[in-house]
Amino acid sequence: MGWLTDELLFYGGMIVAGLSLVAAIICFCVSKMRFITLNAQLTAEYGETRSKNA
């Protein structure tokens, strides 16, 4: 395993961590956009929600 050096593991791990962070940001953005569109669709179908105090 001469090709598996400490530097390769270190930089490979940093790349994997960076890619995971980018994937998490993309997942969060897609989730937020789907929440907004679902909320708009529910408002269009059922109207605005009333507050509990009204």
Side-chain angles (χ1 to χ4, degrees):
M1 295 213 355
W3 58 272
L4 191 62
T5 62
D6 292 339
E7 291 176 353
L8 182 65
L9 285 172
F10 177 71
Y11 291 120
M14 288 184 67
I15 289 171
V16 169
L19 290 176
S20 297
L21 182 64
V22 170
I25 291 171
I26 290 172
C27 184
F28 176 75
C29 290
V30 168
S31 168
K32 191 71 171 171
M33 286 189 300
R34 290 188 66 176
F35 175 75
I36 290 171
T37 56
L38 177 63
N39 219 8
Q41 180 182 355
L42 290 173
T43 300
E45 290 180 9
Y46 298 107
E48 292 288 327
T49 58
R50 293 185 295 167
S51 70
K52 293 181 179 179
N53 297 332

